[in-house]
């Protein structure tokens, strides 16, 4: 992967990430419970168990806000540039 974003009980790391269109982003649940990476109408990993991973490739430029369905107060942003 070109980038990695993790989630755990403290939230997302990093909370803001800038990627190029077509970069591969690895999403990892490093927590002890279920977590998700959910951006309305853009991507949704569903609920990931501890240690689960998902891969994301974003091609449309723009700023995407996402959250954890298990802890909605945990929010982050990925910005896609050409």
């Amino acid at each position: 992967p070109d980038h990695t974003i993790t989630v755990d009980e403290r939230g997302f790391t990093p909370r803001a990430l800038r990627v190029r269109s077509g970069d591969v982003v690895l999403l990892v649940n490093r927590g002890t419970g279920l977590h998700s990476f959910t951006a309305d109408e853009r991507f949704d990993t569903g609920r990931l168990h501890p240690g689960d991973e998902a891969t994301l490739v974003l091609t449309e430029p723009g700023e995407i806000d996402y959250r954890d369905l298990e802890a909605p107060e945990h929010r982050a942003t990925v910005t896609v540039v050409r």
Side-chain angles (χ1 to χ4, degrees):
D2 299 299
H3 309 276
T4 300
I5 303 172
T6 64
V7 65
D8 62 19
E9 287 67 32
R10 294 180 307 264
F12 296 103
T13 303
R15 287 199 173 102
L17 180 65
R18 184 179 175 103
V19 303
R20 290 196 171 286
S21 175
D23 281 0
V24 176
V25 182
L26 180 64
L27 309 173
V28 182
N29 178 357
R30 291 223 175 113
T32 58
L34 295 173
H35 291 286
S36 77
F37 296 77
T38 304
D40 295 332
E41 300 179 24
R42 293 298 293 268
F43 60 85
D44 185 359
T45 61
R47 287 168 170 86
L48 300 175
H49 290 273
D52 282 355
E53 300 177 349
T55 301
L56 182 63
V57 178
L58 300 168
T59 57
E60 186 177 325
E63 188 173 285
I64 305 166
D65 296 320
Y66 60 96
R67 67 189 183 286
D68 179 354
L69 293 177
E70 296 300 314
E73 69 277 10
H74 295 158
R75 296 181 172 271
T77 302
V78 60
T79 304
V80 182
V81 298
R82 290 200 185 269

Coordinates of all heavy atoms in Angstrom, one line a residue:
P1 N 0.8 -1.2 0.0 CA 0.0 0.0 0.0 C 0.9 1.3 0.0 O 2.0 1.2 0.5 CB -0.8 -0.1 1.3 CG 0.0 -1.0 2.2 CD 0.7 -2.0 1.2
D2 N 0.3 2.3 -0.5 CA 1.0 3.6 -0.5 C 0.8 4.3 0.8 O 1.7 5.2 1.2 CB 0.4 4.5 -1.6 CG 0.6 3.9 -3.0 OD1 1.8 3.7 -3.4 OD2 -0.4 3.6 -3.7
H3 N -0.3 4.1 1.5 CA -0.6 4.7 2.8 C -1.3 3.7 3.7 O -2.0 2.8 3.2 CB -1.5 5.9 2.6 CG -1.1 6.9 1.6 ND1 -0.2 7.9 1.8 CD2 -1.4 7.0 0.2 CE1 0.1 8.6 0.7 NE2 -0.6 8.0 -0.3
T4 N -1.3 4.0 5.0 CA -2.0 3.2 6.0 C -2.8 4.1 6.9 O -2.2 5.1 7.4 CB -1.1 2.2 6.8 OG1 -0.4 1.4 5.8 CG2 -1.9 1.4 7.8
I5 N -4.0 3.8 7.2 CA -4.8 4.4 8.2 C -5.3 3.4 9.2 O -5.8 2.3 8.8 CB -6.1 5.2 7.6 CG1 -5.7 6.1 6.5 CG2 -6.8 5.9 8.7 CD1 -6.8 6.7 5.7
T6 N -5.1 3.6 10.5 CA -5.6 2.7 11.5 C -6.7 3.3 12.3 O -6.9 4.5 12.3 CB -4.4 2.3 12.4 OG1 -4.0 3.5 13.1 CG2 -3.3 1.7 11.7
V7 N -7.5 2.5 12.9 CA -8.5 2.9 13.9 C -8.4 2.0 15.1 O -8.1 0.8 15.0 CB -9.9 2.8 13.2 CG1 -10.3 1.4 12.9 CG2 -10.9 3.5 14.1
D8 N -8.7 2.6 16.2 CA -8.8 1.9 17.5 C -9.7 2.7 18.4 O -10.4 3.6 17.9 CB -7.4 1.6 18.1 CG -6.6 2.9 18.5 OD1 -7.3 4.0 18.6 OD2 -5.4 2.8 18.7
E9 N -9.7 2.4 19.7 CA -10.6 3.0 20.6 C -10.3 4.5 20.8 O -11.2 5.3 21.3 CB -10.6 2.3 22.0 CG -11.3 1.0 21.9 CD -10.6 -0.1 21.1 OE1 -9.4 -0.1 21.0 OE2 -11.3 -0.9 20.5
R10 N -9.2 5.0 20.4 CA -8.8 6.4 20.4 C -9.2 7.2 19.2 O -9.1 8.4 19.1 CB -7.4 6.6 20.8 CG -7.0 6.1 22.1 CD -5.5 6.3 22.4 NE -4.7 5.7 21.3 CZ -4.1 4.5 21.4 NH1 -4.3 3.7 22.4 NH2 -3.4 4.0 20.3
G11 N -9.5 6.5 18.1 CA -9.9 7.1 16.8 C -9.0 6.7 15.7 O -8.3 5.7 15.8
F12 N -8.9 7.6 14.7 CA -8.2 7.3 13.5 C -6.8 7.9 13.5 O -6.6 8.9 14.1 CB -8.9 7.9 12.2 CG -10.2 7.3 11.9 CD1 -11.4 7.9 12.3 CD2 -10.3 6.0 11.3 CE1 -12.6 7.4 12.0 CE2 -11.6 5.5 11.1 CZ -12.7 6.2 11.4
T13 N -5.8 7.2 12.9 CA -4.4 7.7 12.8 C -4.0 7.4 11.4 O -4.0 6.3 10.9 CB -3.5 6.9 13.8 OG1 -4.0 7.1 15.1 CG2 -2.1 7.5 13.7
P14 N -3.6 8.4 10.6 CA -3.7 9.9 11.0 C -5.2 10.3 10.8 O -6.0 9.7 10.1 CB -2.8 10.5 9.9 CG -2.9 9.6 8.7 CD -3.1 8.2 9.3
R15 N -5.5 11.5 11.4 CA -6.8 12.1 11.3 C -7.0 12.8 10.0 O -8.1 13.1 9.6 CB -7.1 13.0 12.5 CG -7.3 12.2 13.7 CD -8.0 13.0 14.8 NE -8.3 12.2 15.9 CZ -7.6 12.2 17.0 NH1 -6.6 13.0 17.2 NH2 -8.0 11.4 18.0
A16 N -5.9 13.2 9.3 CA -6.0 13.9 8.0 C -4.9 13.3 7.2 O -3.7 13.1 7.6 CB -5.8 15.4 8.2
L17 N -5.2 12.9 5.9 CA -4.3 12.3 5.0 C -4.5 12.8 3.6 O -5.7 13.0 3.2 CB -4.5 10.8 5.0 CG -3.5 10.0 4.1 CD1 -2.1 10.1 4.6 CD2 -3.9 8.5 4.1
R18 N -3.4 13.1 2.9 CA -3.5 13.6 1.5 C -2.9 12.5 0.7 O -1.8 12.0 0.9 CB -2.7 14.9 1.4 CG -2.8 15.5 0.1 CD -1.9 16.8 0.1 NE -1.8 17.4 -1.1 CZ -2.5 18.5 -1.5 NH1 -3.3 19.1 -0.7 NH2 -2.3 19.0 -2.7
V19 N -3.7 12.0 -0.4 CA -3.3 11.0 -1.2 C -3.4 11.4 -2.7 O -4.2 12.3 -3.0 CB -4.1 9.7 -1.0 CG1 -3.9 9.2 0.4 CG2 -5.5 9.8 -1.4
R20 N -2.7 10.8 -3.6 CA -2.9 11.0 -5.0 C -3.9 10.1 -5.5 O -4.1 9.0 -5.1 CB -1.5 10.8 -5.7 CG -0.5 11.8 -5.5 CD 0.6 11.7 -6.5 NE 1.6 12.7 -6.5 CZ 1.3 14.0 -6.9 NH1 0.2 14.3 -7.4 NH2 2.3 14.9 -6.8
S21 N -4.6 10.5 -6.5 CA -5.6 9.7 -7.2 C -5.0 8.4 -7.6 O -3.9 8.4 -8.3 CB -6.2 10.5 -8.4 OG -7.0 9.6 -9.2
G22 N -5.6 7.3 -7.3 CA -5.1 6.0 -7.6 C -4.2 5.3 -6.6 O -3.8 4.1 -6.7
D23 N -3.8 6.1 -5.5 CA -3.0 5.5 -4.5 C -3.8 4.4 -3.7 O -5.0 4.5 -3.6 CB -2.6 6.5 -3.4 CG -1.4 7.4 -3.8 OD1 -0.9 7.2 -5.0 OD2 -1.0 8.3 -3.0
V24 N -3.0 3.4 -3.2 CA -3.7 2.3 -2.5 C -3.5 2.7 -1.0 O -2.5 2.9 -0.5 CB -3.0 1.0 -2.8 CG1 -3.6 -0.1 -1.9 CG2 -3.1 0.6 -4.2
V25 N -4.7 2.7 -0.3 CA -4.7 3.0 1.1 C -5.2 1.7 1.9 O -6.2 1.2 1.6 CB -5.7 4.1 1.4 CG1 -5.7 4.5 2.9 CG2 -5.4 5.4 0.6
L26 N -4.4 1.3 2.8 CA -4.7 0.1 3.7 C -5.4 0.7 4.9 O -4.9 1.6 5.6 CB -3.4 -0.6 4.0 CG -3.6 -1.8 4.9 CD1 -4.4 -2.9 4.2 CD2 -2.2 -2.4 5.4
L27 N -6.5 0.1 5.2 CA -7.3 0.5 6.4 C -7.3 -0.7 7.4 O -7.6 -1.8 7.0 CB -8.8 0.7 6.0 CG -9.0 1.7 4.8 CD1 -10.4 1.7 4.4 CD2 -8.5 3.1 5.2
V28 N -6.8 -0.4 8.6 CA -6.6 -1.5 9.6 C -7.3 -1.2 10.9 O -7.2 -0.1 11.5 CB -5.1 -1.6 9.9 CG1 -4.8 -2.8 10.8 CG2 -4.3 -1.8 8.6
N29 N -8.0 -2.2 11.4 CA -8.6 -2.1 12.8 C -7.5 -2.6 13.8 O -7.3 -3.8 13.9 CB -9.9 -2.9 12.9 CG -10.5 -2.8 14.3 OD1 -9.9 -2.2 15.2 ND2 -11.6 -3.5 14.5
R30 N -7.0 -1.7 14.5 CA -6.0 -2.0 15.5 C -6.6 -2.0 16.9 O -5.9 -2.1 17.9 CB -4.8 -1.1 15.5 CG -4.0 -1.3 14.2 CD -2.5 -1.2 14.5 NE -1.7 -1.6 13.3 CZ -1.0 -0.7 12.7 NH1 -0.8 0.5 13.1 NH2 -0.3 -1.1 11.6
G31 N -7.9 -1.9 17.0 CA -8.6 -1.8 18.2 C -8.9 -3.2 18.8 O -8.5 -4.2 18.2
T32 N -9.6 -3.2 19.9 CA -10.0 -4.5 20.6 C -11.4 -4.8 20.3 O -11.9 -5.9 20.7 CB -9.8 -4.4 22.1 OG1 -10.6 -3.3 22.6 CG2 -8.3 -4.1 22.4
G33 N -12.2 -4.0 19.6 CA -13.6 -4.2 19.3 C -13.8 -3.9 17.8 O -12.9 -3.6 17.0
L34 N -15.1 -3.9 17.4 CA -15.5 -3.6 16.0 C -15.3 -2.1 15.7 O -15.5 -1.3 16.6 CB -16.9 -4.0 15.8 CG -17.3 -5.5 15.9 CD1 -18.8 -5.6 15.8 CD2 -16.6 -6.2 14.8
H35 N -14.8 -1.8 14.5 CA -14.7 -0.5 14.0 C -15.0 -0.4 12.5 O -14.9 -1.5 11.9 CB -13.3 0.1 14.3 CG -13.0 0.3 15.7 ND1 -13.5 1.3 16.5 CD2 -12.2 -0.4 16.6 CE1 -13.0 1.3 17.7 NE2 -12.3 0.2 17.8
S36 N -15.2 0.8 12.0 CA -15.5 0.9 10.6 C -14.8 2.1 10.0 O -14.5 3.1 10.8 CB -17.0 0.9 10.3 OG -17.5 2.2 10.6
F37 N -14.7 2.2 8.7 CA -14.3 3.3 8.0 C -15.4 3.6 7.0 O -15.6 2.9 6.1 CB -13.0 3.1 7.1 CG -11.8 2.7 7.9 CD1 -11.6 1.5 8.5 CD2 -10.8 3.7 8.1 CE1 -10.5 1.2 9.2 CE2 -9.6 3.4 8.8 CZ -9.5 2.2 9.4
T38 N -16.2 4.7 7.3 CA -17.5 4.9 6.6 C -17.6 6.4 6.2 O -17.6 7.3 7.0 CB -18.7 4.6 7.5 OG1 -18.5 3.2 8.0 CG2 -20.0 4.7 6.8
A39 N -17.6 6.5 4.8 CA -17.8 7.9 4.2 C -19.1 7.8 3.4 O -19.2 7.0 2.4 CB -16.7 8.2 3.4
D40 N -20.1 8.5 3.7 CA -21.4 8.4 3.0 C -21.2 8.5 1.5 O -20.5 9.4 1.0 CB -22.3 9.6 3.4 CG -22.7 9.4 4.9 OD1 -22.7 8.3 5.4 OD2 -23.0 10.4 5.5
E41 N -21.7 7.5 0.8 CA -21.7 7.5 -0.7 C -20.3 7.4 -1.3 O -20.2 7.5 -2.5 CB -22.5 8.7 -1.3 CG -23.9 8.7 -0.8 CD -24.7 9.9 -1.4 OE1 -24.3 10.4 -2.4 OE2 -25.7 10.3 -0.7
R42 N -19.3 7.2 -0.6 CA -17.9 7.1 -1.1 C -17.3 5.8 -0.9 O -16.8 5.1 -1.7 CB -17.0 8.3 -0.6 CG -17.4 9.7 -1.1 CD -17.3 9.8 -2.6 NE -16.0 9.7 -3.1 CZ -15.1 10.7 -3.3 NH1 -15.5 12.0 -3.0 NH2 -14.0 10.5 -3.9
F43 N -17.3 5.4 0.4 CA -16.8 4.1 0.8 C -17.3 3.6 2.2 O -17.7 4.5 3.0 CB -15.2 4.0 0.8 CG -14.5 4.9 1.7 CD1 -14.3 4.6 3.0 CD2 -14.1 6.2 1.2 CE1 -13.7 5.5 3.9 CE2 -13.4 7.0 2.1 CZ -13.2 6.7 3.4
D44 N -17.4 2.3 2.4 CA -17.8 1.8 3.7 C -17.2 0.4 3.8 O -17.5 -0.5 3.0 CB -19.3 1.8 3.7 CG -19.8 1.3 5.1 OD1 -19.0 1.0 6.0 OD2 -21.0 1.3 5.3
T45 N -16.3 0.2 4.8 CA -15.7 -1.1 5.0 C -16.7 -2.1 5.7 O -16.4 -3.3 5.7 CB -14.5 -1.0 5.9 OG1 -14.9 -0.5 7.1 CG2 -13.4 -0.1 5.2
G46 N -17.8 -1.5 6.2 CA -18.6 -2.4 7.1 C -17.8 -2.5 8.4 O -16.7 -1.9 8.6
R47 N -18.3 -3.2 9.3 CA -17.7 -3.4 10.6 C -16.5 -4.4 10.5 O -16.8 -5.5 10.1 CB -18.7 -3.8 11.7 CG -19.6 -2.6 12.0 CD -20.8 -3.0 12.8 NE -21.5 -1.8 13.3 CZ -22.5 -1.2 12.6 NH1 -22.8 -1.5 11.4 NH2 -23.1 -0.1 13.2
L48 N -15.4 -3.9 10.9 CA -14.2 -4.8 10.9 C -13.8 -5.3 12.3 O -13.9 -4.5 13.2 CB -12.9 -4.0 10.4 CG -13.0 -3.3 9.0 CD1 -11.8 -2.5 8.7 CD2 -13.2 -4.4 7.9
H49 N -13.5 -6.5 12.3 CA -13.1 -7.1 13.6 C -11.7 -6.8 13.9 O -10.9 -6.4 13.0 CB -13.2 -8.7 13.5 CG -14.6 -9.1 13.5 ND1 -15.4 -9.4 14.6 CD2 -15.5 -9.4 12.4 CE1 -16.6 -9.7 14.3 NE2 -16.7 -9.8 13.0
P50 N -11.2 -6.9 15.2 CA -9.8 -6.6 15.5 C -8.9 -7.3 14.6 O -9.0 -8.5 14.3 CB -9.7 -7.0 17.0 CG -11.1 -6.9 17.5 CD -12.0 -7.3 16.4
G51 N -7.9 -6.6 14.0 CA -6.9 -7.1 13.1 C -7.3 -7.2 11.7 O -6.5 -7.4 10.8
D52 N -8.6 -7.0 11.4 CA -9.1 -7.0 10.0 C -8.5 -5.8 9.2 O -8.3 -4.7 9.8 CB -10.6 -7.0 9.9 CG -11.2 -8.3 10.2 OD1 -10.5 -9.3 10.4 OD2 -12.5 -8.4 10.2
E53 N -8.4 -6.0 7.9 CA -7.9 -4.9 7.0 C -8.8 -4.8 5.8 O -9.5 -5.8 5.4 CB -6.5 -5.3 6.5 CG -5.5 -5.4 7.6 CD -4.1 -5.8 7.1 OE1 -4.0 -6.2 5.9 OE2 -3.2 -5.8 7.9
A54 N -8.8 -3.7 5.2 CA -9.5 -3.4 3.9 C -8.6 -2.5 3.1 O -7.7 -1.8 3.6 CB -10.8 -2.8 4.1
T55 N -8.7 -2.6 1.8 CA -7.9 -1.8 0.9 C -8.9 -0.8 0.1 O -10.0 -1.2 -0.3 CB -7.2 -2.7 -0.2 OG1 -6.4 -3.6 0.5 CG2 -6.3 -1.8 -1.1
L56 N -8.4 0.4 0.0 CA -9.2 1.4 -0.6 C -8.4 2.1 -1.7 O -7.2 2.4 -1.5 CB -9.5 2.4 0.4 CG -10.4 3.6 0.1 CD1 -11.8 3.2 -0.3 CD2 -10.5 4.5 1.3
V57 N -8.9 2.3 -2.9 CA -8.3 3.1 -4.0 C -9.3 4.2 -4.4 O -10.4 3.9 -4.9 CB -8.0 2.2 -5.2 CG1 -7.4 3.1 -6.3 CG2 -7.0 1.1 -4.8
L58 N -8.9 5.4 -4.1 CA -9.7 6.6 -4.5 C -9.2 7.3 -5.7 O -8.0 7.5 -5.8 CB -9.8 7.5 -3.3 CG -10.3 7.0 -2.0 CD1 -10.0 7.9 -0.8 CD2 -11.8 6.7 -2.1
T59 N -10.1 7.6 -6.6 CA -9.6 8.2 -7.9 C -10.3 9.6 -8.1 O -9.7 10.4 -8.9 CB -10.0 7.3 -9.1 OG1 -11.4 7.0 -9.1 CG2 -9.2 6.0 -9.0
E60 N -11.4 9.8 -7.5 CA -12.1 11.1 -7.7 C -11.5 12.2 -6.7 O -11.6 12.0 -5.5 CB -13.6 11.0 -7.5 CG -14.4 12.2 -7.8 CD -15.8 11.9 -7.6 OE1 -16.3 10.8 -7.9 OE2 -16.5 12.9 -7.2
P61 N -10.9 13.3 -7.3 CA -10.4 14.3 -6.4 C -11.4 14.9 -5.5 O -12.6 15.0 -5.8 CB -9.8 15.3 -7.4 CG -9.6 14.6 -8.6 CD -10.7 13.6 -8.7
G62 N -10.9 15.3 -4.3 CA -11.8 16.0 -3.3 C -11.5 15.6 -1.9 O -10.7 14.7 -1.7
E63 N -12.2 16.3 -1.0 CA -12.0 16.0 0.4 C -13.1 15.1 0.9 O -14.3 15.3 0.6 CB -12.1 17.3 1.2 CG -11.7 17.2 2.6 CD -11.6 18.5 3.3 OE1 -10.6 19.2 3.1 OE2 -12.5 18.9 4.1
I64 N -12.8 14.0 1.5 CA -13.8 13.0 2.0 C -13.7 12.9 3.5 O -12.7 12.5 4.1 CB -13.5 11.6 1.3 CG1 -13.4 11.7 -0.2 CG2 -14.5 10.6 1.8 CD1 -12.8 10.5 -0.9
D65 N -14.8 13.2 4.1 CA -14.9 13.0 5.6 C -15.4 11.6 5.9 O -16.4 11.2 5.2 CB -15.8 14.1 6.2 CG -15.3 15.5 6.0 OD1 -14.1 15.7 6.2 OD2 -16.1 16.4 5.7
Y66 N -14.9 11.0 6.8 CA -15.4 9.6 7.2 C -15.4 9.5 8.7 O -14.9 10.3 9.4 CB -14.6 8.5 6.5 CG -13.1 8.5 6.9 CD1 -12.6 7.7 7.8 CD2 -12.2 9.3 6.2 CE1 -11.3 7.6 8.2 CE2 -10.8 9.3 6.5 CZ -10.4 8.4 7.5 OH -9.1 8.4 7.8
R67 N -16.1 8.4 9.1 CA -16.3 8.2 10.6 C -16.3 6.7 10.9 O -16.3 5.9 10.0 CB -17.6 8.8 11.0 CG -18.9 8.2 10.4 CD -20.1 9.0 10.7 NE -21.3 8.3 10.2 CZ -21.7 8.2 9.0 NH1 -20.9 8.7 8.0 NH2 -22.8 7.6 8.6
D68 N -16.3 6.4 12.2 CA -16.4 5.0 12.7 C -17.8 4.8 13.2 O -18.3 5.5 14.1 CB -15.4 4.9 13.8 CG -15.4 3.5 14.4 OD1 -16.2 2.7 14.1 OD2 -14.5 3.3 15.3
L69 N -18.6 3.9 12.5 CA -19.9 3.7 12.9 C -20.1 3.2 14.4 O -21.1 3.4 15.0 CB -20.6 2.6 12.0 CG -20.8 3.0 10.6 CD1 -21.4 1.9 9.8 CD2 -21.7 4.3 10.5
E70 N -19.0 2.6 14.9 CA -19.0 2.1 16.3 C -18.8 3.2 17.3 O -19.1 3.1 18.5 CB -18.0 0.9 16.5 CG -18.3 -0.3 15.7 CD -19.7 -0.9 16.0 OE1 -20.0 -1.1 17.2 OE2 -20.4 -1.2 15.0
A71 N -18.1 4.3 16.8 CA -17.8 5.4 17.7 C -17.9 6.7 16.8 O -16.9 7.2 16.3 CB -16.4 5.3 18.3
P72 N -19.1 7.2 16.6 CA -19.4 8.3 15.6 C -18.6 9.5 15.9 O -18.4 10.4 15.0 CB -20.9 8.5 15.7 CG -21.4 7.2 16.2 CD -20.4 6.6 17.1
E73 N -18.1 9.7 17.2 CA -17.3 10.9 17.5 C -15.9 10.8 16.8 O -15.2 11.8 16.7 CB -17.2 11.0 19.0 CG -16.4 10.0 19.7 CD -17.1 8.7 20.1 OE1 -18.3 8.5 19.6 OE2 -16.6 7.9 20.8
H74 N -15.5 9.6 16.4 CA -14.2 9.4 15.7 C -14.4 9.8 14.3 O -15.1 9.0 13.5 CB -13.7 8.0 15.9 CG -13.4 7.7 17.3 ND1 -13.3 6.4 17.7 CD2 -13.1 8.4 18.4 CE1 -13.0 6.4 19.0 NE2 -12.9 7.6 19.4
R75 N -13.8 10.9 13.8 CA -13.9 11.3 12.5 C -12.5 11.7 11.9 O -11.6 12.0 12.7 CB -14.8 12.6 12.4 CG -16.2 12.3 12.8 CD -17.1 13.5 12.8 NE -18.5 13.1 13.0 CZ -19.4 12.7 12.0 NH1 -19.0 12.7 10.8 NH2 -20.6 12.3 12.3
A76 N -12.4 11.6 10.6 CA -11.2 11.9 9.9 C -11.4 12.4 8.5 O -12.6 12.3 8.1 CB -10.2 10.7 10.0
T77 N -10.4 12.8 7.8 CA -10.5 13.3 6.5 C -9.4 12.7 5.6 O -8.2 12.7 6.0 CB -10.5 14.8 6.4 OG1 -11.5 15.3 7.3 CG2 -10.7 15.4 5.0
V78 N -9.7 12.3 4.4 CA -8.7 12.0 3.4 C -9.0 12.9 2.2 O -10.1 13.1 1.8 CB -8.8 10.5 3.0 CG1 -10.1 10.1 2.4 CG2 -7.6 10.2 2.0
T79 N -7.9 13.6 1.7 CA -8.0 14.5 0.6 C -7.3 13.8 -0.6 O -6.1 13.4 -0.5 CB -7.4 15.8 0.9 OG1 -8.0 16.4 2.0 CG2 -7.5 16.8 -0.3
V80 N -8.1 13.7 -1.7 CA -7.5 13.1 -2.9 C -7.2 14.2 -3.9 O -8.0 15.0 -4.2 CB -8.6 12.1 -3.6 CG1 -8.0 11.4 -4.8 CG2 -9.1 11.1 -2.6
V81 N -5.9 14.1 -4.4 CA -5.5 15.1 -5.4 C -5.0 14.4 -6.6 O -4.6 13.2 -6.6 CB -4.3 16.0 -4.8 CG1 -4.8 16.8 -3.6 CG2 -3.1 15.2 -4.4
R82 N -5.0 15.1 -7.7 CA -4.5 14.5 -9.0 C -3.0 14.4 -9.0 O -2.3 15.0 -8.5 CB -5.0 15.3 -10.2 CG -6.5 15.1 -10.4 CD -6.9 15.5 -11.8 NE -8.3 15.4 -11.9 CZ -9.0 14.3 -12.3 NH1 -8.4 13.2 -12.5 NH2 -10.3 14.4 -12.3

